Amino acid sequence: MYNVALDHVFLHVASAMRLEIWEENLPAFARVLRERGCPEGHCFGFIDGTMFTICRPTVGQEAMYNGWKRQHKVKYQCVVLPNFLIGDWFGPGAGRAHDSQVLADSNLVARLQGMRGRLDVELCVYGDPAYPVHDVLLRAPKGRMTNAMEAYATLMSHYRESVEWVFGKMGELWPFVTDVRRKTTGSRATSKEDCVAALLTNYHTCRYGGVANRYFDTLPPSMSEYRAMYHLQLDRLNSQ
């Protein structure tokens, strides 16, 4: 029964956590951040990656081994919106993959450029220095910085913390995502569980809100409104 329920919810992951369902709302999200003092006037959300430790796999050990953490990992990419929802979720990626590689695999830059063109407005997300700079993706400065650059980076880091809040909430609600004893690839659908946990975190935020909703003074949709939004996207994908 558990696997049946898991498979059912997982069917909705690809459409429910995809930025395209929020396309018409992106300019309004940018306006919210701008009104809250964000120095990037066209920024509508924040991108970051997270990794979950897994047991040593029997197949593909090298791909999953992260030399920095010295553990086997799976990696995910997340874009968080001012309403504290995961607007875009991609993964799992190999633990050894750099954030820039996961970004390329997600095709997020091209998708953002397409949305910007359709809306005919400037849009961007903001990430940490690990990401490459694009016209639709800005990052924190690297290397020597002027006082102005340091002030900019410090201010933007306060807004970007919303991504960490989402990851923290996800771990609190669903402790199995960080329980390495359960994360045995090959015998459990661990990555499927991770993705379902991310979607259920969104539903929890729709029902109960979160810290970023107070920080940005922006409410998420109701659960029924959220479901209706991504079911439209699901219908479009099924019709293609």
Side-chain angles (χ1 to χ4, degrees), residues 121-139:
V121 294
E122 291 298 321
L123 294 170
C124 70
V125 293
Y126 183 86
D128 64 29
Y131 289 100
V133 174
H134 291 277
D135 53 345
V136 290
L137 196 162
L138 303 179
R139 70 180 186 197

Side-chain angles (χ1 to χ4, degrees), residues 1 12 23 32 71-72 76 97 105 131 139 143 151 158 164 168 190 199 221 228-229:
M1 182 61 70
H12 300 268
E23 183 171 323
V32 165
Q71 292 174 315
H72 292 89
Y76 296 92
D105 292 342
Y131 289 100
R139 70 180 186 197
H158 293 316
E164 300 299 330
T190 58
L199 177 55
M229 288 176 65

Side-chain angles (χ1 to χ4, degrees), residues 23 111-123 135-136:
E23 183 171 323
R111 289 164 49 212
L112 282 173
Q113 290 169 336
M115 286 183 272
R116 181 188 61 181
R118 289 189 295 272
L119 294 169
D120 195 26
V121 294
E122 291 298 321
L123 294 170
D135 53 345
V136 290

Side-chain angles (χ1 to χ4, degrees), residues 141-154:
K142 299 173 69 173
R144 290 177 59 90
M145 292 186 287
T146 64
N147 291 339
M149 293 170 65
E150 288 183 357
Y152 166 85
T154 299

Side-chain angles (χ1 to χ4, degrees), residues 11-165:
L11 290 174
H12 300 268
V13 166
S15 55
M17 294 185 293
R18 191 169 175 86
L19 269 178
E20 281 76 0
I21 71 172
W22 300 100
E23 183 171 323
E24 295 181 356
N25 302 94
L26 300 185
F29 288 147
R31 184 171 62 252
V32 165
L33 293 177
R34 189 165 58 248
E35 291 173 351
R36 298 294 293 179
C38 180
E40 288 296 344
H42 306 301
C43 177
F44 67 83
F46 304 94
I47 184 172
D48 203 356
T50 192
M51 295 186 291
F52 298 134
T53 305
I54 60 174
C55 294
R56 181 177 179 178
T58 56
V59 178
Q61 294 179 22
E62 291 186 2
M64 308 312 291
Y65 185 74
N66 183 275
W68 177 45
K69 295 290 187 179
R70 298 183 182 277
Q71 292 174 315
H72 292 89
K73 300 276 190 178
V74 289
K75 182 172 284 191
Y76 296 92
Q77 176 183 279
C78 175
V79 175
V80 173
L81 303 171
N83 59 12
F84 203 39
L85 292 185
I86 298 171
D88 205 78
W89 177 266
F90 179 79
R96 68 181 299 176
H98 191 273
D99 286 348
S100 60
Q101 181 59 56
V102 179
L103 175 68
D105 292 342
S106 72
N107 200 34
L108 179 63
V109 169
R111 289 164 49 212
L112 282 173
Q113 290 169 336
M115 286 183 272
R116 181 188 61 181
R118 289 189 295 272
L119 294 169
D120 195 26
V121 294
E122 291 298 321
L123 294 170
C124 70
V125 293
Y126 183 86
D128 64 29
Y131 289 100
V133 174
H134 291 277
D135 53 345
V136 290
L137 196 162
L138 303 179
R139 70 180 186 197
K142 299 173 69 173
R144 290 177 59 90
M145 292 186 287
T146 64
N147 291 339
M149 293 170 65
E150 288 183 357
Y152 166 85
T154 299
L155 182 57
M156 289 300 294
S157 70
H158 293 316
Y159 295 98
R160 200 176 61 82
E161 284 179 354
S162 59
V163 185
E164 300 299 330
W165 295 339

